[in-house]
Amino acid sequence: QVQLIESGGGTVQAGGSLRLSCVASGVTFSNYAMGWFRQAPGKEREFVAAIRRSGNILYYADSVKGRFTISRDNAKNTGFLQMNSLKPEDTAIYYCASTVDYGAKRYSSRDEYAFWGQGTQVTVSS
């Protein structure tokens, strides 16, 4: 049984930082791509960042490029999203997602992911 469990969300002032973690179980994590998505109230779930199984290929949404960093530790079955220079518009529920990495994909679409975490709330106050 595959499980993804996020942690690290919270409330922070604009300009602050948070680090989200996503621990995977029930999978050989090193074979899986991992992504982060977010959903603000009244909006669709949107892509934030993705990392391929090797950890060397990264993708970011334009809205977070230069502020967020995705990474992973395959030995610990854990992925991370370091969020710096947070803005009020970053407020959302953040979800990690994972799927087998077959290569040759950006993994920036929700439909490409088989497994999802329960989400963690990030609130940025102005």
Side-chain angles (χ1 to χ4, degrees):
Q1 181 181 357
V2 179
Q3 273 195 318
L4 301 174
I5 300 178
E6 302 100 332
S7 62
T11 300
V12 65
Q13 287 190 330
S17 299
L18 284 173
R19 189 190 197 206
L20 305 184
S21 299
C22 175
V23 179
S25 60
V27 297
T28 303
F29 189 58
S30 57
N31 291 337
Y32 282 66
M34 190 194 74
W36 288 93
F37 291 75
R38 66 187 181 186
Q39 188 166 17
K43 295 188 176 182
E44 291 192 356
R45 193 172 299 187
E46 64 174 5
F47 170 74
V48 175
I51 185 168
R52 299 289 298 280
R53 60 182 180 178
S54 65
N56 293 330
I57 301 175
L58 315 174
Y59 304 105
Y60 294 97
D62 288 342
S63 59
V64 306
K65 207 171 289 184
R67 300 188 297 123
F68 290 11
T69 302
I70 190 171
S71 63
R72 65 191 294 160
D73 184 341
N74 286 342
K76 295 183 178 180
N77 280 12
T78 304
F80 305 97
L81 185 68
Q82 177 67 44
M83 305 185 295
N84 298 329
S85 301
L86 282 161
K87 305 175 181 179
E89 50 264 43
D90 294 318
T91 295
I93 299 174
Y94 282 70
Y95 298 90
C96 72
S98 193
T99 196
V100 176
D101 188 341
Y102 291 109
K105 289 186 178 183
R106 286 178 54 89
Y107 293 104
S108 59
S109 170
R110 291 176 295 175
D111 295 341
E112 294 178 303
Y113 287 89
F115 306 106
W116 292 83
Q118 82 289 351
T120 184
Q121 177 70 46
V122 171
T123 303
V124 184
S125 60
S126 57

